[in-house]
Amino acid sequence: MSLTREEVDQFEREGWVMKRKVFSRGDMEPIRDALTEIVHREAVGLREKGMLDDIYEEEPFETRLTRIRYASHEACQVIYKSIMGKAGGGFSGESMFHFIRHRPLLSCIESLLGPDLIGSAIYRVRPKIPEWAHGEVPWHQDSGYFLPHCDRFLILTCWIPLVDATLENGCLFVLPRSHKKGVVRHYSGGHSGYLEVPGDLLGEVKPVPVEMEAGSVLFLTSMTPHASFENHSDVVRWSLDLRYQSMEPPNNVDEEPETYTRERDPVTMACLPTEADFVIRDTKNPHREVATPEQFHKLREKYEKTHPWYPGRGWTPMSERDQGNE
């Protein structure tokens, strides 16, 4: 599987393209099982503490957190924080390793980035829980999180729903043809603590909702504005966002996390140095590839424990904009 010429053309012209059925249900099962185990373990602990009467063990992956959320908002919040806490370097088990290296996905990515690939540091698991404000992600560009010297490079986002993503349960919206205008001004501390581009800065382009079957992949440039809104269904809209880059953009491969300090010049840093980049394929130096789940986990865990310094872009807080103090 790879992207067709027409799909590549759409990506370059519109800033996004969606490819159907890159992952089968069987391909997704290991990571769905791993996430189910986190939910189950946390629910059992909450029952033992008297915070849950029922852990809804018979509920399927799609609705178990929904039932817990309506039984106890507090218990659901504990589970949600546990999932998000393991969504970065902490969620680096075998299922995530194989998901990131899924051969049909990499073939599509090669159509955009070439054969030599870096797994870009930040990947996330996102459970969008029904009627749960924290699941909303406001308008932003991924480059708003990256350091400015990386703006000229393509860092590819692959957004992958583990259940069908619909208008009702909070599919992604994109702003087509807005990816060649550079980084729009973002504000920090917006909705749910995310970076946010206020609506009046987005221009006149009409947002496009991208409804998707589970296992399809939405490919986005790091400059493409996108957002997702509240889930009004009874299904948890589970998704992953993975990021990839060629060898050209700065990365922290072969660097120790301790070298990222306040004294270091930001222009010498990886695009987002808080977590570990890793070599997926290096055709000239294959020994650099992270080829086993054990290597992957060890590398990610090293960065998870060290907390490298990240200077950020110095975006103005949303509260100052609201008060007219820009």
Side-chain angles (χ1 to χ4, degrees):
M1 179 180 289
S2 61
L3 298 183
T4 66
R5 181 66 256 175
E6 291 76 15
E7 289 168 334
V8 172
D9 288 345
Q10 179 188 326
F11 178 84
E12 293 175 350
R13 182 182 65 252
E14 305 288 320
W16 70 277
V17 71
M18 190 266 287
K19 185 79 169 180
R20 298 180 64 243
K21 297 182 179 179
V22 178
F23 291 83
S24 70
R25 177 64 185 242
D27 296 330
M28 294 185 289
E29 208 61 40
I31 204 154
R32 285 166 55 108
D33 289 346
L35 293 168
T36 296
E37 176 56 33
I38 294 174
V39 172
H40 180 74
R41 184 176 64 247
E42 294 295 325
V44 168
L46 291 167
R47 183 176 60 182
E48 292 173 353
K49 294 177 182 178
M51 293 177 64
L52 273 178
D53 294 328
D54 191 336
I55 62 172
Y56 301 96
E57 194 167 359
E58 301 305 315
E59 285 286 334
F61 176 74
E62 292 83 356
T63 56
R64 188 174 185 182
L65 264 182
T66 305
R67 302 292 172 261
I68 292 172
R69 182 256 186 275
Y70 287 117
S72 170
H73 183 90
E74 184 181 7
C76 187
Q77 194 164 34
V78 171
I79 297 172
Y80 178 85
K81 288 181 178 179
S82 178
I83 294 165
M84 296 305 290
K86 297 182 184 303
F91 195 83
S92 55
E94 184 174 354
S95 61
M96 180 62 83
F97 173 77
H98 290 301
F99 202 89
I100 289 170
R101 291 181 59 94
H102 184 58
R103 180 63 219 177
L105 175 63
L106 296 184
S107 294
C108 292
I109 292 168
E110 289 171 16
S111 303
L112 301 171
L113 295 176
D116 294 327
L117 299 174
I118 297 283
S120 188
I122 300 298
Y123 57 76
R124 289 290 178 261
V125 177
R126 300 195 189 276
K128 184 184 283 290
I129 301 167
E131 313 298 338
W132 185 263
H134 292 292
E136 291 191 70
V137 180
W139 286 105
H140 68 285
Q141 298 162 294
D142 287 346
S143 284
Y145 288 91
F146 301 149
L147 293 175
H149 64 279
C150 294
D151 288 353
R152 62 191 181 93
F153 299 106
L154 172 59
I155 298 173
L156 182 66
T157 293
C158 303
W159 190 84
I160 309 160
L162 300 178
V163 303
D164 292 348
T166 66
L167 281 169
E168 187 182 16
N169 70 17
C171 67
L172 254 63
F173 283 70
V174 300
L175 281 187
R177 303 178 300 281
S178 299
H179 60 299
K180 296 183 180 180
K181 300 177 181 179
V183 177
V184 183
R185 186 169 188 176
H186 289 61
Y187 290 84
S188 62
H191 185 77
S192 299
Y194 293 109
L195 290 181
E196 181 172 353
V197 178
D200 60 299
L201 299 183
L202 291 172
E204 301 299 322
V205 179
K206 184 178 180 180
V208 174
V210 186
E211 295 188 282
M212 301 168 59
E213 296 173 290
S216 299
V217 179
L218 175 60
F219 297 94
L220 297 167
T221 81
S222 53
M223 291 286 183
T224 304
H226 56 285
S228 69
F229 305 108
E230 195 166 345
N231 180 353
H232 296 292
S233 74
D234 64 349
V235 169
V236 178
R237 195 225 64 194
W238 289 95
S239 64
L240 279 77
D241 41 274
L242 312 178
R243 291 174 182 83
Y244 298 82
Q245 62 191 62
S246 70
M247 297 289 181
E248 187 179 8
N251 60 71
N252 59 24
V253 172
D254 299 327
E255 292 188 324
E256 294 299 321
E258 293 85 358
T259 65
Y260 284 86
T261 65
R262 292 176 181 269
E263 293 72 34
R264 182 169 171 176
D265 187 342
V267 301
T268 70
M269 294 183 176
C271 298
L272 195 59
T274 51
E275 297 173 30
D277 296 320
F278 46 96
V279 178
I280 292 176
R281 185 178 299 113
D282 186 335
T283 54
K284 294 181 179 178
N285 301 287
H287 64 275
R288 300 178 68 228
E289 297 174 6
V290 176
T292 68
E294 293 74 22
Q295 287 178 288
F296 175 68
H297 178 72
K298 184 177 180 180
L299 175 63
R300 296 290 296 184
E301 191 176 50
K302 180 168 65 172
Y303 268 75
E304 183 81 0
K305 291 179 177 179
T306 305
H307 304 296
W309 167 246
Y310 166 59
R313 296 183 72 124
W315 296 119
T316 302
M318 183 64 78
S319 59
E320 293 187 17
R321 183 184 200 258
D322 294 342
Q323 296 166 10
N325 295 328
E326 293 185 72

